[in-house]
Amino acid sequence: MAPREPATLQARARRAYELGRLRSACTVLLYVLPMVVISLGFAGSPAQTLVVGAALATVAVLFRWRGMVWTECVSAGLLAGALPLLAPLAVRLV
């Protein structure tokens, strides 16, 4: 096996690192997708709900992938958004 160039090894390592971070960031979709599905039940316009839901999912993954304080902001924002999302559901069940 021929020795590889250090630049090639560094590029492969960086690519693997970023792919791992992206995979980790995609776990936020486990929270975003159910929120979008729930909101479809109350939406007057399902198409608009899907567009906004796709935008939310994209921004949430990008911010989590970026890391640092952005990760905490996504978590706080989803928690804050879940309360008003679930309020109509709670009212219908009571």
Side-chain angles (χ1 to χ4, degrees):
M1 188 161 136
R4 297 184 187 237
E5 293 291 324
T8 304
L9 290 176
Q10 185 176 9
R12 288 183 63 204
R14 179 67 179 199
R15 193 173 317 121
Y17 170 74
E18 292 297 340
L19 183 59
R21 288 184 59 210
L22 182 60
R23 285 182 183 158
S24 176
C26 285
T27 60
V28 76
L29 295 176
L30 295 174
Y31 302 103
V32 172
L33 295 179
M35 292 175 79
V36 173
V37 170
I38 290 170
S39 66
L40 280 171
F42 302 107
S45 170
Q48 186 177 10
T49 301
L50 290 174
V51 168
V52 171
L56 173 64
T58 302
V59 169
V61 168
L62 288 175
F63 280 7
R64 298 253 331 199
W65 174 65
R66 177 70 177 111
M68 300 190 321
V69 72
W70 296 102
T71 300
E72 298 168 13
C73 293
V74 169
S75 301
L78 289 176
L79 180 62
L83 298 175
L85 172 68
L86 296 176
L89 180 63
V91 168
R92 283 191 180 182
L93 292 177
V94 173

